[in-house]
């Protein structure tokens, strides 16, 4: 089946530094990918929609200068958390639609801890 | 976007059938209903998708009445490994997914 690979699975960074998270569709092309954030015991919240070859679309309240999204190819989207702060600590998940009748495919998530 | 409403949590004993109902009163004609399962610290995983009536696969069944304003996910003979959060989503042609609260299912030995 369709696979979305997300790396790293866990990252700890110091406050003020930047962290890049990669999301790759391994066996299908994805012109659009989605980035979610999930806090403990809460649901997934859509942050932004990544579009190959064009600018990402951000949801209301999400700072586009803080969460930089690049979708340079049909199989790779990256999310960079810039100048990270402890409140950015969360579980970040990407997804893409491989087509067909099996819904969306999600990455395994990235646990970001900012210290 | 069609909003979904599900019970926040459910408990079930091992071996029982579990039915989780989701309401989606504002579902549009072209919308599909999809259920996902999420374990802690993992991304959601597709369970089943349907448009109307009944759909069954190797892990679950999905029942959708004629008015499509609700749907019921049925998990036969649950085991401890089915303890997870289950999300009901209405997928639109707009190509994005908004997650509701989900239902936290706890399977008890």
């Amino acid at each position: 089946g369709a696979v979305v690979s997300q790396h790293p699975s866990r990252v700890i960074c110091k406050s003020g530094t930047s962290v890049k998270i990669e999301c790759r569709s391994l066996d299908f092309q994805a012109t659009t990918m989605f980035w979610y954030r999930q806090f403990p015991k809460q649901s997934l919240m859509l942050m932004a929609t990544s579009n190959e070859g064009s600018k990402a679309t951000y949801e209301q309240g999400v700072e586009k200068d803080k969460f930089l999204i690049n979708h340079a190819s049909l199989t790779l989207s990256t999310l960079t958390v810039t100048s990270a702060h402890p409140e950015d600590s969360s579980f970040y998940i990407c997804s893409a639609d491989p087509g067909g009748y099996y819904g969306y495919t999600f990455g395994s998530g990235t646990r970001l801890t900012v210290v | 976007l069609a909003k979904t409403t599900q019970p926040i949590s459910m408990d079930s004993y091992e071996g029982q059938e579990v039915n989780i109902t989701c309401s989606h009163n504002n579902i549009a004609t072209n919308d599909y209903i999809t259920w996902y399962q999420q374990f802690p610290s993992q991304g959601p995983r597709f369970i089943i998708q349907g448009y109307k009536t009944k759909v069954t696969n190797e892990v679950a069944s999905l029942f959708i009445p004629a008015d499509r304003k609700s749907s019921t996910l049925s998990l036969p003979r649950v085991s401890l490994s089915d303890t997870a959060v289950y999300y009901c989503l209405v997928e639109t042609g707009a190509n994005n997914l908004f997650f509701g609260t989900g239902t936290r299912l706890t399977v008890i030995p």
Side-chain angles (χ1 to χ4, degrees), chain A residues 32 34 36 38 41-44 46 59 91 93 101-104 106-108 111, chain B residues 32 34 36 38 41-44 46 49 87 91 95-101 104:
Chain A
T32 303
F34 306 94
Y36 294 84
Q38 186 176 33
K41 303 288 187 182
Q42 294 187 22
S43 184
L44 284 77
L46 181 65
E59 295 301 309
F91 192 55
I93 309 169
Y101 299 100
Y102 299 99
Y104 286 66
F106 289 80
S108 54
R111 174 77 57 194
Chain B
Y32 279 77
T34 311
Y36 293 85
Q38 186 183 27
S41 297
Q42 293 185 27
F46 172 85
Q49 183 179 75
Y87 293 98
E91 297 194 14
N95 202 24
N96 53 25
L97 294 180
F98 287 90
F99 283 76
T101 58
R104 187 172 299 275

Side-chain angles (χ1 to χ4, degrees), chain A residues 62-73:
Chain A
V62 177
E63 301 175 57
K64 62 180 181 181
D65 294 332
K66 180 171 186 59
F67 298 99
L68 300 179
I69 290 174
N70 184 272
H71 195 150
S73 77

Side-chain angles (χ1 to χ4, degrees), chain B residues 43-62:
Chain B
R45 184 174 71 101
F46 172 85
I47 300 175
I48 197 166
Q49 183 179 75
Y51 183 79
K52 62 180 179 181
T53 62
K54 177 182 176 181
V55 179
T56 297
N57 62 22
E58 62 275 9
V59 298
S61 295
L62 178 59

